[in-house]
Structure formats: C-alpha cells, structure tokens
mmCIF file of all heavy atoms in Angstrom:
data_model
loop_
_atom_site.group_PDB
_atom_site.id
_atom_site.type_symbol
_atom_site.label_atom_id
_atom_site.label_comp_id
_atom_site.label_asym_id
_atom_site.label_seq_id
_atom_site.Cartn_x
_atom_site.Cartn_y
_atom_site.Cartn_z
ATOM 1 N N MET A 1 121.857 -45.143 -57.690
ATOM 2 C CA MET A 1 120.512 -44.721 -57.367
ATOM 3 C C MET A 1 119.534 -45.573 -58.152
ATOM 4 O O MET A 1 119.764 -45.907 -59.306
ATOM 5 C CB MET A 1 120.318 -43.255 -57.723
ATOM 6 C CG MET A 1 118.928 -42.766 -57.416
ATOM 7 S SD MET A 1 118.767 -40.997 -57.533
ATOM 8 C CE MET A 1 117.845 -40.885 -59.045
ATOM 9 N N PRO A 2 118.430 -45.935 -57.540
ATOM 10 C CA PRO A 2 117.401 -46.686 -58.251
ATOM 11 C C PRO A 2 116.906 -45.911 -59.477
ATOM 12 O O PRO A 2 116.893 -44.679 -59.483
ATOM 13 C CB PRO A 2 116.286 -46.833 -57.220
ATOM 14 C CG PRO A 2 116.976 -46.683 -55.908
ATOM 15 C CD PRO A 2 118.101 -45.722 -56.153
ATOM 16 N N ALA A 3 116.505 -46.639 -60.498
ATOM 17 C CA ALA A 3 116.087 -46.030 -61.763
ATOM 18 C C ALA A 3 114.923 -45.054 -61.606
ATOM 19 O O ALA A 3 114.817 -44.091 -62.353
ATOM 20 C CB ALA A 3 115.720 -47.121 -62.753
ATOM 21 N N HIS A 4 114.060 -45.281 -60.634
ATOM 22 C CA HIS A 4 112.860 -44.446 -60.484
ATOM 23 C C HIS A 4 112.979 -43.408 -59.381
ATOM 24 O O HIS A 4 111.981 -42.880 -58.925
ATOM 25 C CB HIS A 4 111.635 -45.330 -60.248
ATOM 26 C CG HIS A 4 111.380 -46.264 -61.378
ATOM 27 N ND1 HIS A 4 110.955 -45.840 -62.607
ATOM 28 C CD2 HIS A 4 111.547 -47.596 -61.480
ATOM 29 C CE1 HIS A 4 110.849 -46.871 -63.406
ATOM 30 N NE2 HIS A 4 111.205 -47.948 -62.748
ATOM 31 N N GLY A 5 114.185 -43.133 -58.933
ATOM 32 C CA GLY A 5 114.371 -42.102 -57.921
ATOM 33 C C GLY A 5 114.768 -42.651 -56.576
ATOM 34 O O GLY A 5 115.071 -43.830 -56.433
ATOM 35 N N PRO A 6 114.769 -41.794 -55.568
ATOM 36 C CA PRO A 6 115.193 -42.191 -54.225
ATOM 37 C C PRO A 6 114.315 -43.281 -53.627
ATOM 38 O O PRO A 6 113.142 -43.401 -53.964
ATOM 39 C CB PRO A 6 115.043 -40.913 -53.402
ATOM 40 C CG PRO A 6 114.867 -39.821 -54.370
ATOM 41 C CD PRO A 6 114.364 -40.408 -55.633
ATOM 42 N N VAL A 7 114.909 -44.068 -52.739
ATOM 43 C CA VAL A 7 114.174 -45.078 -51.979
ATOM 44 C C VAL A 7 114.416 -44.777 -50.509
ATOM 45 O O VAL A 7 115.550 -44.721 -50.052
ATOM 46 C CB VAL A 7 114.652 -46.507 -52.315
ATOM 47 C CG1 VAL A 7 113.986 -47.525 -51.414
ATOM 48 C CG2 VAL A 7 114.393 -46.834 -53.778
ATOM 49 N N LEU A 8 113.327 -44.569 -49.775
ATOM 50 C CA LEU A 8 113.406 -44.233 -48.357
ATOM 51 C C LEU A 8 112.329 -44.992 -47.606
ATOM 52 O O LEU A 8 111.171 -45.009 -48.037
ATOM 53 C CB LEU A 8 113.179 -42.732 -48.143
ATOM 54 C CG LEU A 8 114.146 -41.812 -48.874
ATOM 55 C CD1 LEU A 8 113.500 -40.495 -49.187
ATOM 56 C CD2 LEU A 8 115.375 -41.609 -48.050
ATOM 57 N N GLY A 9 112.698 -45.623 -46.511
ATOM 58 C CA GLY A 9 111.689 -46.264 -45.687
ATOM 59 C C GLY A 9 112.167 -47.516 -44.989
ATOM 60 O O GLY A 9 113.280 -47.986 -45.198
ATOM 61 N N HIS A 10 111.300 -48.046 -44.144
ATOM 62 C CA HIS A 10 111.584 -49.272 -43.401
ATOM 63 C C HIS A 10 111.581 -50.451 -44.360
ATOM 64 O O HIS A 10 110.771 -50.512 -45.282
ATOM 65 C CB HIS A 10 110.545 -49.485 -42.306
ATOM 66 C CG HIS A 10 110.664 -48.499 -41.200
ATOM 67 N ND1 HIS A 10 111.594 -48.609 -40.199
ATOM 68 C CD2 HIS A 10 109.996 -47.357 -40.947
ATOM 69 C CE1 HIS A 10 111.488 -47.592 -39.374
ATOM 70 N NE2 HIS A 10 110.523 -46.800 -39.814
ATOM 71 N N VAL A 11 112.482 -51.394 -44.105
ATOM 72 C CA VAL A 11 112.628 -52.558 -44.977
ATOM 73 C C VAL A 11 112.056 -53.813 -44.336
ATOM 74 O O VAL A 11 111.565 -54.688 -45.032
ATOM 75 C CB VAL A 11 114.122 -52.778 -45.317
ATOM 76 C CG1 VAL A 11 114.302 -53.965 -46.239
ATOM 77 C CG2 VAL A 11 114.705 -51.534 -45.950
ATOM 78 N N THR A 12 112.102 -53.901 -43.034
ATOM 79 C CA THR A 12 111.664 -55.104 -42.339
ATOM 80 C C THR A 12 110.315 -54.875 -41.651
ATOM 81 O O THR A 12 109.988 -53.753 -41.269
ATOM 82 C CB THR A 12 112.700 -55.510 -41.267
ATOM 83 O OG1 THR A 12 112.899 -54.412 -40.378
ATOM 84 C CG2 THR A 12 114.033 -55.887 -41.914
ATOM 85 N N PRO A 13 109.530 -55.945 -41.514
ATOM 86 C CA PRO A 13 108.213 -55.811 -40.871
ATOM 87 C C PRO A 13 108.290 -55.260 -39.447
ATOM 88 O O PRO A 13 107.392 -54.548 -39.009
ATOM 89 C CB PRO A 13 107.661 -57.240 -40.863
ATOM 90 C CG PRO A 13 108.387 -57.935 -41.962
ATOM 91 C CD PRO A 13 109.754 -57.305 -42.009
ATOM 92 N N ASP A 14 109.375 -55.565 -38.728
ATOM 93 C CA ASP A 14 109.482 -55.071 -37.355
ATOM 94 C C ASP A 14 110.057 -53.655 -37.290
ATOM 95 O O ASP A 14 110.282 -53.117 -36.210
ATOM 96 C CB ASP A 14 110.316 -56.020 -36.497
ATOM 97 C CG ASP A 14 111.781 -56.060 -36.915
ATOM 98 O OD1 ASP A 14 112.164 -55.425 -37.925
ATOM 99 O OD2 ASP A 14 112.558 -56.747 -36.225
ATOM 100 N N ARG A 15 110.308 -53.051 -38.462
ATOM 101 C CA ARG A 15 110.768 -51.672 -38.599
ATOM 102 C C ARG A 15 112.141 -51.437 -37.960
ATOM 103 O O ARG A 15 112.470 -50.345 -37.544
ATOM 104 C CB ARG A 15 109.730 -50.707 -38.031
ATOM 105 C CG ARG A 15 108.382 -50.827 -38.725
ATOM 106 C CD ARG A 15 107.285 -50.023 -38.077
ATOM 107 N NE ARG A 15 107.522 -48.606 -38.082
ATOM 108 C CZ ARG A 15 107.187 -47.759 -39.066
ATOM 109 N NH1 ARG A 15 106.595 -48.227 -40.133
ATOM 110 N NH2 ARG A 15 107.444 -46.474 -38.973
ATOM 111 N N SER A 16 112.968 -52.498 -37.921
ATOM 112 C CA SER A 16 114.295 -52.370 -37.320
ATOM 113 C C SER A 16 115.362 -51.929 -38.322
ATOM 114 O O SER A 16 116.475 -51.603 -37.923
ATOM 115 C CB SER A 16 114.716 -53.695 -36.675
ATOM 116 O OG SER A 16 114.825 -54.711 -37.661
ATOM 117 N N VAL A 17 115.018 -51.941 -39.617
ATOM 118 C CA VAL A 17 115.970 -51.523 -40.650
ATOM 119 C C VAL A 17 115.318 -50.451 -41.513
ATOM 120 O O VAL A 17 114.204 -50.625 -42.009
ATOM 121 C CB VAL A 17 116.401 -52.718 -41.543
ATOM 122 C CG1 VAL A 17 117.337 -52.260 -42.636
ATOM 123 C CG2 VAL A 17 117.042 -53.805 -40.710
ATOM 124 N N TYR A 18 116.020 -49.346 -41.693
ATOM 125 C CA TYR A 18 115.529 -48.225 -42.503
ATOM 126 C C TYR A 18 116.581 -47.925 -43.553
ATOM 127 O O TYR A 18 117.772 -47.871 -43.253
ATOM 128 C CB TYR A 18 115.322 -46.994 -41.615
ATOM 129 C CG TYR A 18 114.506 -45.900 -42.259
ATOM 130 C CD1 TYR A 18 113.181 -45.714 -41.920
ATOM 131 C CD2 TYR A 18 115.066 -45.054 -43.217
ATOM 132 C CE1 TYR A 18 112.419 -44.706 -42.507
ATOM 133 C CE2 TYR A 18 114.314 -44.047 -43.800
ATOM 134 C CZ TYR A 18 112.996 -43.883 -43.442
ATOM 135 O OH TYR A 18 112.252 -42.883 -44.028
ATOM 136 N N VAL A 19 116.168 -47.753 -44.816
ATOM 137 C CA VAL A 19 117.121 -47.408 -45.869
ATOM 138 C C VAL A 19 116.822 -46.019 -46.409
ATOM 139 O O VAL A 19 115.680 -45.563 -46.402
ATOM 140 C CB VAL A 19 117.104 -48.420 -47.043
ATOM 141 C CG1 VAL A 19 117.507 -49.798 -46.584
ATOM 142 C CG2 VAL A 19 115.765 -48.469 -47.723
ATOM 143 N N ALA A 20 117.878 -45.365 -46.850
ATOM 144 C CA ALA A 20 117.762 -44.060 -47.498
ATOM 145 C C ALA A 20 118.782 -44.054 -48.636
ATOM 146 O O ALA A 20 119.975 -43.888 -48.407
ATOM 147 C CB ALA A 20 118.031 -42.939 -46.519
ATOM 148 N N VAL A 21 118.294 -44.285 -49.857
ATOM 149 C CA VAL A 21 119.160 -44.324 -51.030
ATOM 150 C C VAL A 21 118.802 -43.139 -51.909
ATOM 151 O O VAL A 21 117.684 -43.030 -52.396
ATOM 152 C CB VAL A 21 118.977 -45.647 -51.824
ATOM 153 C CG1 VAL A 21 119.893 -45.680 -53.026
ATOM 154 C CG2 VAL A 21 119.216 -46.847 -50.924
ATOM 155 N N LEU A 22 119.762 -42.220 -52.066
ATOM 156 C CA LEU A 22 119.539 -40.994 -52.823
ATOM 157 C C LEU A 22 120.589 -40.859 -53.918
ATOM 158 O O LEU A 22 121.616 -41.527 -53.888
ATOM 159 C CB LEU A 22 119.632 -39.769 -51.900
ATOM 160 C CG LEU A 22 118.659 -39.726 -50.731
ATOM 161 C CD1 LEU A 22 119.107 -38.691 -49.723
ATOM 162 C CD2 LEU A 22 117.283 -39.397 -51.225
ATOM 163 N N HIS A 23 120.355 -39.982 -54.831
ATOM 164 C CA HIS A 23 121.321 -39.636 -55.867
ATOM 165 C C HIS A 23 122.548 -39.037 -55.198
ATOM 166 O O HIS A 23 122.479 -38.496 -54.100
ATOM 167 C CB HIS A 23 120.679 -38.618 -56.823
ATOM 168 C CG HIS A 23 121.510 -38.311 -58.005
ATOM 169 N ND1 HIS A 23 122.463 -37.339 -57.991
ATOM 170 C CD2 HIS A 23 121.532 -38.866 -59.242
ATOM 171 C CE1 HIS A 23 123.044 -37.278 -59.179
ATOM 172 N NE2 HIS A 23 122.502 -38.200 -59.949
ATOM 173 N N SER A 24 123.662 -39.108 -55.877
ATOM 174 C CA SER A 24 124.896 -38.589 -55.286
ATOM 175 C C SER A 24 124.855 -37.081 -55.054
ATOM 176 O O SER A 24 125.566 -36.563 -54.196
ATOM 177 C CB SER A 24 126.084 -38.942 -56.168
ATOM 178 O OG SER A 24 125.917 -38.385 -57.459
ATOM 179 N N ALA A 25 124.034 -36.377 -55.795
ATOM 180 C CA ALA A 25 123.875 -34.941 -55.536
ATOM 181 C C ALA A 25 123.162 -34.777 -54.206
ATOM 182 O O ALA A 25 122.233 -35.502 -53.895
ATOM 183 C CB ALA A 25 123.075 -34.281 -56.653
ATOM 184 N N VAL A 26 123.591 -33.828 -53.426
ATOM 185 C CA VAL A 26 123.068 -33.702 -52.064
ATOM 186 C C VAL A 26 122.026 -32.606 -51.900
ATOM 187 O O VAL A 26 121.738 -32.188 -50.789
ATOM 188 C CB VAL A 26 124.219 -33.492 -51.051
ATOM 189 C CG1 VAL A 26 125.105 -34.689 -51.005
ATOM 190 C CG2 VAL A 26 124.988 -32.229 -51.360
ATOM 191 N N THR A 27 121.438 -32.170 -52.966
ATOM 192 C CA THR A 27 120.501 -31.053 -52.871
ATOM 193 C C THR A 27 119.274 -31.369 -52.023
ATOM 194 O O THR A 27 118.713 -30.470 -51.395
ATOM 195 C CB THR A 27 120.039 -30.582 -54.260
ATOM 196 O OG1 THR A 27 119.476 -31.692 -54.954
ATOM 197 C CG2 THR A 27 121.203 -30.023 -55.053
ATOM 198 N N LEU A 28 118.853 -32.632 -51.994
ATOM 199 C CA LEU A 28 117.681 -32.996 -51.202
ATOM 200 C C LEU A 28 118.043 -33.580 -49.838
ATOM 201 O O LEU A 28 117.161 -33.880 -49.044
ATOM 202 C CB LEU A 28 116.816 -34.008 -51.959
ATOM 203 C CG LEU A 28 116.191 -33.500 -53.247
ATOM 204 C CD1 LEU A 28 115.417 -34.613 -53.933
ATOM 205 C CD2 LEU A 28 115.283 -32.318 -52.976
ATOM 206 N N ALA A 29 119.320 -33.741 -49.567
ATOM 207 C CA ALA A 29 119.755 -34.395 -48.336
ATOM 208 C C ALA A 29 119.231 -33.725 -47.062
ATOM 209 O O ALA A 29 118.777 -34.433 -46.160
ATOM 210 C CB ALA A 29 121.266 -34.512 -48.301
ATOM 211 N N PRO A 30 119.268 -32.405 -46.935
ATOM 212 C CA PRO A 30 118.757 -31.807 -45.691
ATOM 213 C C PRO A 30 117.274 -32.091 -45.451
ATOM 214 O O PRO A 30 116.875 -32.444 -44.342
ATOM 215 C CB PRO A 30 118.996 -30.308 -45.886
ATOM 216 C CG PRO A 30 120.114 -30.229 -46.865
ATOM 217 C CD PRO A 30 119.893 -31.395 -47.794
ATOM 218 N N THR A 31 116.481 -31.996 -46.486
ATOM 219 C CA THR A 31 115.042 -32.258 -46.341
ATOM 220 C C THR A 31 114.788 -33.739 -46.113
ATOM 221 O O THR A 31 114.009 -34.114 -45.235
ATOM 222 C CB THR A 31 114.279 -31.769 -47.585
ATOM 223 O OG1 THR A 31 114.478 -30.362 -47.704
ATOM 224 C CG2 THR A 31 112.796 -32.062 -47.478
ATOM 225 N N ALA A 32 115.442 -34.589 -46.893
ATOM 226 C CA ALA A 32 115.268 -36.034 -46.719
ATOM 227 C C ALA A 32 115.704 -36.452 -45.323
ATOM 228 O O ALA A 32 115.021 -37.242 -44.662
ATOM 229 C CB ALA A 32 116.054 -36.796 -47.779
ATOM 230 N N GLY A 33 116.824 -35.931 -44.854
ATOM 231 C CA GLY A 33 117.302 -36.270 -43.520
ATOM 232 C C GLY A 33 116.335 -35.869 -42.432
ATOM 233 O O GLY A 33 116.097 -36.628 -41.483
ATOM 234 N N ARG A 34 115.766 -34.687 -42.563
ATOM 235 C CA ARG A 34 114.781 -34.221 -41.576
ATOM 236 C C ARG A 34 113.553 -35.121 -41.567
ATOM 237 O O ARG A 34 113.058 -35.521 -40.503
ATOM 238 C CB ARG A 34 114.379 -32.780 -41.882
ATOM 239 C CG ARG A 34 113.357 -32.201 -40.916
ATOM 240 C CD ARG A 34 112.986 -30.763 -41.264
ATOM 241 N NE ARG A 34 112.574 -30.566 -42.638
ATOM 242 C CZ ARG A 34 111.343 -30.849 -43.122
ATOM 243 N NH1 ARG A 34 110.431 -31.333 -42.324
ATOM 244 N NH2 ARG A 34 111.056 -30.631 -44.383
ATOM 245 N N LEU A 35 113.048 -35.470 -42.752
ATOM 246 C CA LEU A 35 111.852 -36.308 -42.834
ATOM 247 C C LEU A 35 112.115 -37.731 -42.355
ATOM 248 O O LEU A 35 111.283 -38.333 -41.681
ATOM 249 C CB LEU A 35 111.318 -36.313 -44.276
ATOM 250 C CG LEU A 35 110.759 -34.977 -44.749
ATOM 251 C CD1 LEU A 35 110.504 -35.007 -46.251
ATOM 252 C CD2 LEU A 35 109.492 -34.607 -43.998
ATOM 253 N N VAL A 36 113.285 -38.274 -42.707
ATOM 254 C CA VAL A 36 113.645 -39.619 -42.251
ATOM 255 C C VAL A 36 113.763 -39.637 -40.728
ATOM 256 O O VAL A 36 113.234 -40.534 -40.064
ATOM 257 C CB VAL A 36 114.958 -40.083 -42.919
ATOM 258 C CG1 VAL A 36 115.523 -41.312 -42.228
ATOM 259 C CG2 VAL A 36 114.723 -40.375 -44.397
ATOM 260 N N ALA A 37 114.447 -38.661 -40.155
ATOM 261 C CA ALA A 37 114.587 -38.590 -38.702
ATOM 262 C C ALA A 37 113.223 -38.489 -38.025
ATOM 263 O O ALA A 37 112.966 -39.157 -37.018
ATOM 264 C CB ALA A 37 115.457 -37.398 -38.317
ATOM 265 N N GLN A 38 112.341 -37.684 -38.600
ATOM 266 C CA GLN A 38 110.990 -37.526 -38.052
ATOM 267 C C GLN A 38 110.256 -38.864 -38.073
ATOM 268 O O GLN A 38 109.605 -39.235 -37.097
ATOM 269 C CB GLN A 38 110.231 -36.495 -38.883
ATOM 270 C CG GLN A 38 108.823 -36.240 -38.454
ATOM 271 C CD GLN A 38 108.153 -35.218 -39.376
ATOM 272 O OE1 GLN A 38 108.800 -34.331 -39.914
ATOM 273 N NE2 GLN A 38 106.872 -35.362 -39.560
ATOM 274 N N GLU A 39 110.368 -39.603 -39.174
ATOM 275 C CA GLU A 39 109.706 -40.909 -39.263
ATOM 276 C C GLU A 39 110.250 -41.888 -38.236
ATOM 277 O O GLU A 39 109.487 -42.600 -37.584
ATOM 278 C CB GLU A 39 109.902 -41.523 -40.658
ATOM 279 C CG GLU A 39 109.052 -40.928 -41.703
ATOM 280 C CD GLU A 39 109.067 -41.743 -42.985
ATOM 281 O OE1 GLU A 39 110.003 -42.525 -43.225
ATOM 282 O OE2 GLU A 39 108.116 -41.588 -43.751
ATOM 283 N N ILE A 40 111.565 -41.937 -38.104
ATOM 284 C CA ILE A 40 112.177 -42.884 -37.181
ATOM 285 C C ILE A 40 111.810 -42.554 -35.735
ATOM 286 O O ILE A 40 111.474 -43.443 -34.950
ATOM 287 C CB ILE A 40 113.704 -42.913 -37.381
ATOM 288 C CG1 ILE A 40 114.021 -43.541 -38.753
ATOM 289 C CG2 ILE A 40 114.391 -43.680 -36.254
ATOM 290 C CD1 ILE A 40 115.471 -43.439 -39.163
ATOM 291 N N VAL A 41 111.836 -41.293 -35.382
ATOM 292 C CA VAL A 41 111.561 -40.885 -33.998
ATOM 293 C C VAL A 41 110.081 -41.029 -33.645
ATOM 294 O O VAL A 41 109.736 -41.534 -32.582
ATOM 295 C CB VAL A 41 112.037 -39.436 -33.752
ATOM 296 C CG1 VAL A 41 111.549 -38.903 -32.418
ATOM 297 C CG2 VAL A 41 113.555 -39.371 -33.830
ATOM 298 N N THR A 42 109.199 -40.583 -34.545
ATOM 299 C CA THR A 42 107.763 -40.587 -34.221
ATOM 300 C C THR A 42 107.042 -41.870 -34.636
ATOM 301 O O THR A 42 105.978 -42.164 -34.117
ATOM 302 C CB THR A 42 107.042 -39.408 -34.907
ATOM 303 O OG1 THR A 42 107.062 -39.613 -36.334
ATOM 304 C CG2 THR A 42 107.675 -38.082 -34.536
ATOM 305 N N GLY A 43 107.598 -42.578 -35.628
ATOM 306 C CA GLY A 43 106.924 -43.770 -36.137
ATOM 307 C C GLY A 43 105.803 -43.452 -37.113
ATOM 308 O O GLY A 43 105.097 -44.336 -37.572
ATOM 309 N N VAL A 44 105.643 -42.176 -37.428
ATOM 310 C CA VAL A 44 104.583 -41.739 -38.339
ATOM 311 C C VAL A 44 105.184 -41.512 -39.730
ATOM 312 O O VAL A 44 106.114 -40.716 -39.876
ATOM 313 C CB VAL A 44 103.929 -40.431 -37.837
ATOM 314 C CG1 VAL A 44 102.875 -39.945 -38.813
ATOM 315 C CG2 VAL A 44 103.349 -40.634 -36.460
ATOM 316 N N PRO A 45 104.667 -42.213 -40.755
ATOM 317 C CA PRO A 45 105.202 -42.023 -42.106
ATOM 318 C C PRO A 45 104.994 -40.590 -42.598
ATOM 319 O O PRO A 45 103.924 -40.013 -42.415
ATOM 320 C CB PRO A 45 104.385 -42.991 -42.962
ATOM 321 C CG PRO A 45 103.830 -43.984 -42.001
ATOM 322 C CD PRO A 45 103.633 -43.240 -40.708
ATOM 323 N N ALA A 46 106.024 -40.025 -43.208
ATOM 324 C CA ALA A 46 105.934 -38.674 -43.772
ATOM 325 C C ALA A 46 105.256 -38.759 -45.143
ATOM 326 O O ALA A 46 105.725 -39.477 -46.025
ATOM 327 C CB ALA A 46 107.323 -38.063 -43.915
ATOM 328 N N ALA A 47 104.176 -38.049 -45.300
ATOM 329 C CA ALA A 47 103.430 -38.069 -46.564
ATOM 330 C C ALA A 47 104.305 -37.623 -47.733
ATOM 331 O O ALA A 47 104.141 -38.107 -48.856
ATOM 332 C CB ALA A 47 102.202 -37.175 -46.454
ATOM 333 N N GLU A 48 105.258 -36.751 -47.467
ATOM 334 C CA GLU A 48 106.132 -36.235 -48.525
ATOM 335 C C GLU A 48 107.007 -37.332 -49.138
ATOM 336 O O GLU A 48 107.493 -37.184 -50.256
ATOM 337 C CB GLU A 48 107.059 -35.132 -47.981
ATOM 338 C CG GLU A 48 106.334 -33.911 -47.467
ATOM 339 C CD GLU A 48 105.973 -34.011 -45.991
ATOM 340 O OE1 GLU A 48 105.957 -35.118 -45.422
ATOM 341 O OE2 GLU A 48 105.686 -32.951 -45.407
ATOM 342 N N LEU A 49 107.186 -38.433 -48.425
ATOM 343 C CA LEU A 49 108.051 -39.510 -48.908
ATOM 344 C C LEU A 49 107.279 -40.679 -49.519
ATOM 345 O O LEU A 49 107.869 -41.678 -49.892
ATOM 346 C CB LEU A 49 108.935 -40.018 -47.754
ATOM 347 C CG LEU A 49 109.870 -38.987 -47.135
ATOM 348 C CD1 LEU A 49 110.628 -39.603 -45.969
ATOM 349 C CD2 LEU A 49 110.826 -38.429 -48.174
ATOM 350 N N ARG A 50 105.987 -40.568 -49.645
ATOM 351 C CA ARG A 50 105.172 -41.705 -50.099
ATOM 352 C C ARG A 50 105.596 -42.239 -51.464
ATOM 353 O O ARG A 50 105.502 -43.430 -51.718
ATOM 354 C CB ARG A 50 103.693 -41.356 -50.073
ATOM 355 C CG ARG A 50 103.233 -40.377 -51.106
ATOM 356 C CD ARG A 50 101.740 -40.038 -50.968
ATOM 357 N NE ARG A 50 101.374 -38.950 -51.853
ATOM 358 C CZ ARG A 50 101.558 -37.665 -51.591
ATOM 359 N NH1 ARG A 50 102.101 -37.320 -50.445
ATOM 360 N NH2 ARG A 50 101.228 -36.739 -52.453
ATOM 361 N N ARG A 51 106.085 -41.389 -52.352
ATOM 362 C CA ARG A 51 106.506 -41.856 -53.678
ATOM 363 C C ARG A 51 107.916 -42.453 -53.670
ATOM 364 O O ARG A 51 108.373 -42.934 -54.693
ATOM 365 C CB ARG A 51 106.450 -40.694 -54.665
ATOM 366 C CG ARG A 51 105.015 -40.221 -54.904
ATOM 367 C CD ARG A 51 104.919 -39.052 -55.843
ATOM 368 N NE ARG A 51 105.589 -39.336 -57.103
ATOM 369 C CZ ARG A 51 105.939 -38.413 -57.983
ATOM 370 N NH1 ARG A 51 105.669 -37.155 -57.737
ATOM 371 N NH2 ARG A 51 106.532 -38.733 -59.099
ATOM 372 N N CYS A 52 108.553 -42.450 -52.521
ATOM 373 C CA CYS A 52 109.925 -42.960 -52.405
ATOM 374 C C CYS A 52 109.995 -44.297 -51.688
ATOM 375 O O CYS A 52 111.072 -44.763 -51.336
ATOM 376 C CB CYS A 52 110.781 -41.950 -51.637
ATOM 377 S SG CYS A 52 110.874 -40.340 -52.409
ATOM 378 N N ARG A 53 108.877 -44.920 -51.451
ATOM 379 C CA ARG A 53 108.848 -46.163 -50.692
ATOM 380 C C ARG A 53 109.334 -47.348 -51.517
ATOM 381 O O ARG A 53 109.060 -47.450 -52.706
ATOM 382 C CB ARG A 53 107.447 -46.468 -50.179
ATOM 383 C CG ARG A 53 106.906 -45.398 -49.282
ATOM 384 C CD ARG A 53 107.756 -45.219 -48.069
ATOM 385 N NE ARG A 53 107.189 -44.149 -47.248
ATOM 386 C CZ ARG A 53 107.872 -43.485 -46.361
ATOM 387 N NH1 ARG A 53 109.126 -43.757 -46.155
ATOM 388 N NH2 ARG A 53 107.307 -42.547 -45.665
ATOM 389 N N LEU A 54 110.011 -48.274 -50.849
ATOM 390 C CA LEU A 54 110.510 -49.473 -51.487
ATOM 391 C C LEU A 54 109.373 -50.291 -52.101
ATOM 392 O O LEU A 54 109.506 -50.831 -53.179
ATOM 393 C CB LEU A 54 111.272 -50.312 -50.463
ATOM 394 C CG LEU A 54 112.007 -51.534 -50.963
ATOM 395 C CD1 LEU A 54 113.035 -51.140 -52.012
ATOM 396 C CD2 LEU A 54 112.668 -52.253 -49.811
ATOM 397 N N ALA A 55 108.224 -50.313 -51.459
ATOM 398 C CA ALA A 55 107.087 -51.111 -51.922
ATOM 399 C C ALA A 55 106.450 -50.573 -53.189
ATOM 400 O O ALA A 55 105.638 -51.243 -53.804
ATOM 401 C CB ALA A 55 106.040 -51.193 -50.814
ATOM 402 N N ARG A 56 106.800 -49.381 -53.626
ATOM 403 C CA ARG A 56 106.160 -48.800 -54.814
ATOM 404 C C ARG A 56 106.352 -49.658 -56.048
ATOM 405 O O ARG A 56 105.530 -49.665 -56.932
ATOM 406 C CB ARG A 56 106.670 -47.399 -55.076
ATOM 407 C CG ARG A 56 108.111 -47.392 -55.555
ATOM 408 C CD ARG A 56 108.595 -46.016 -55.889
ATOM 409 N NE ARG A 56 109.994 -46.143 -56.238
ATOM 410 C CZ ARG A 56 110.909 -45.270 -55.997
ATOM 411 N NH1 ARG A 56 110.608 -44.163 -55.391
ATOM 412 N NH2 ARG A 56 112.138 -45.466 -56.341
ATOM 413 N N GLY A 57 107.440 -50.431 -56.127
ATOM 414 C CA GLY A 57 107.696 -51.278 -57.283
ATOM 415 C C GLY A 57 107.272 -52.708 -57.087
ATOM 416 O O GLY A 57 107.493 -53.555 -57.929
ATOM 417 N N ALA A 58 106.637 -52.997 -55.958
ATOM 418 C CA ALA A 58 106.262 -54.364 -55.626
ATOM 419 C C ALA A 58 105.024 -54.847 -56.374
ATOM 420 O O ALA A 58 104.764 -56.017 -56.457
ATOM 421 C CB ALA A 58 106.038 -54.491 -54.125
ATOM 422 N N SER A 59 104.241 -53.943 -56.926
ATOM 423 C CA SER A 59 102.994 -54.368 -57.573
ATOM 424 C C SER A 59 103.234 -54.841 -58.985
ATOM 425 O O SER A 59 104.221 -54.620 -59.604
ATOM 426 C CB SER A 59 101.992 -53.229 -57.584
ATOM 427 O OG SER A 59 102.540 -52.070 -58.163
#
C-alpha cells in the first residue's frame, strides 16, 4: 500500500486505465468498490475519493 493511503483513479489521459490500490484489510473494500464502479460507469469523479487520487503526490 502507498505510504499515504489508498490510491484510486484513472491513470491515463484517455481514462482507459483505472487503479485501485488498498491496504490488505478489506474493511473499506465494499465502499471503495461501489464508488469506483460509480466513477467508471458514470464518468463522474466521486468526491469521497478526492484524497485518494494518484495526482495528490504530483505537486
């Protein structure tokens, strides 16, 4: 798991690759899975996942 927590989101500019890297404990898996599925299907970023984006460490 990344040092700063889960990483969830699209990796490529064309949005063809999505990653979901979580801790081995599965306590958040049902919620994360629901939000990830919602993002992929609707194309609308889930506000609840904003702190889990890959770009958060890019600055």
